[in-house]
Amino acid sequence: MNNLQTPFRYDFVGSFLRPQALKDAKAAFQAGKISKAQLDTITEDEIRKVVAKQKELGFHVITDGEFRRTFWHLDFMWGFDGVAHEATDNGVQFHNELAILDDTYLVGKLKAKAHPFVEYFKFLKQFEDENTIAKYTIPAPAQTFQQMIIPANFKNTRKFYATNKELIQDIGIAYQDVIKQFYDAGCRNLQFDDCTWGAIVGEAAKQRYKLLGIDLEDVKQQLLDVNNLALEGKPADMVINSHICRGNYHSTFFTSGPYDTVADYVFAKENVNALFLEYDDTRSGGFAPLAKVSPDKKVVLGLITTKSPVLEDKEKIISRIHEAAKYISLDRLCLSPQCGFASCEIGNKLTEEEQWAKLKLVKEIAEEVWG
């Protein structure tokens, strides 16, 4: 086992556009034309190809592109006892588009069991070498907590949990168990993907919670509590980072707002090793909140967008990196796209070639800035 640790100066969030062969196989499986075993074989072939591409581009981290998932977050939640799901054509309203998501809800107390994602990681791990390390991405504990208390689920969740505190306790303990499963499987680099912080920034979120009669500061504390509880007892040689964004579905977004109102919580107090932060457009606000990042954390600036095929201007990105360095030392900064290229299997509106061009640009800029 090598000792490489994320994040790297040039990095990425984790998901990649699904190749046509994988899309065709998934459709054939759903139509009953091929077996699950045949689908798995094709999926594994496509994972081998995407890993090889990541290595070809010179990246030191590899993922499976999230090729085994339909949704970046819900599929993971289905791996707990007490969680069920159903396809109902419901969803979440993004900017000008409805994101169609499976209803995911509790049918009992939430508990850990042998998680299928750990087996998926084992398949990925075989491709590590002296230059690369495998990381696996899972939704943050706060994301699972939030899923169970959204308005559509709140009444149902209260059948099993009288208070949010009890729910937080079970989620935190379940995540501790799954983190240990990943560690025992050889995983030393794990990533929480977390849209909860991005969903509570900005004036719109403040007004939404006010109408519900909920103190937004209480919400922030609960998100922090569940994430940090999950991290308790984390092995010292295991890196766990967090990726924070404002939603990413088919090249659209869920919310907007700067990090100022959450920095005192997640930047200062969340016990992760690094923060992957969305900073690809004006919706993310300025860099001043980076001054709140605790000294033990690194920050990966998501300055390259995955929502558009248009390549960024190199000099403008370099200038923004140095602007961020006014608030946190350049030595603690890295560069990546702001999110994955396919948070859900629908993917964003660009081609695979345009996707790889984005990553080439990330590497090129990072080598120029940090050498």
Side-chain angles (χ1 to χ4, degrees), residues 126-239:
Q126 68 180 302
F127 304 114
E128 290 182 340
D129 56 35
E130 67 277 7
N131 296 314
T132 55
I133 192 79
K135 78 168 177 180
Y136 223 74
T137 61
I138 63 175
Q143 198 72 46
T144 299
F145 169 63
Q146 196 70 17
Q147 177 65 29
M148 302 313 165
I149 62 167
I150 59 175
N153 280 343
F154 187 81
K155 186 176 180 180
N156 178 71
T157 294
R158 282 292 180 260
K159 295 176 185 176
F160 310 104
Y161 292 99
T163 66
N164 284 358
K165 185 176 181 180
E166 295 172 41
L167 176 60
I168 286 169
Q169 183 70 18
D170 274 8
I171 290 173
I173 296 302
Y175 266 81
Q176 288 179 19
D177 187 297
V178 173
I179 288 169
K180 185 177 185 302
Q181 291 179 43
F182 272 107
Y183 185 84
D184 291 345
C187 180
R188 296 297 180 269
N189 291 266
L190 198 63
Q191 179 178 296
F192 289 166
D193 290 326
D194 198 345
C195 287
T196 64
W197 297 107
I200 62 172
V201 297
E203 189 62 28
K206 184 177 180 180
Q207 294 303 316
R208 184 169 66 250
Y209 280 99
K210 185 178 180 180
L211 289 172
L212 293 171
I214 299 172
D215 188 326
L216 197 52
E217 298 308 304
D218 290 343
V219 176
K220 295 171 189 176
Q221 188 61 54
Q222 289 175 350
L223 299 180
L224 181 68
D225 287 347
V226 71
N227 283 346
N228 279 345
L229 176 58
L231 292 163
E232 286 183 12
K234 175 184 75 69
D237 62 338
M238 187 179 199
V239 168

Side-chain angles (χ1 to χ4, degrees), residues 70-71 73-75 77-78 82-92 98-107 147-148 150-153 156:
T70 300
F71 310 110
H73 54 332
L74 300 178
D75 296 49
M77 298 176 199
W78 305 338
V83 177
H85 67 102
E86 182 181 2
T88 60
D89 290 330
N90 292 329
V92 175
L98 181 69
I100 303 298
L101 309 173
D102 278 23
D103 291 355
T104 298
Y105 48 87
L106 292 177
V107 290
Q147 177 65 29
M148 302 313 165
I150 59 175
N153 280 343
N156 178 71

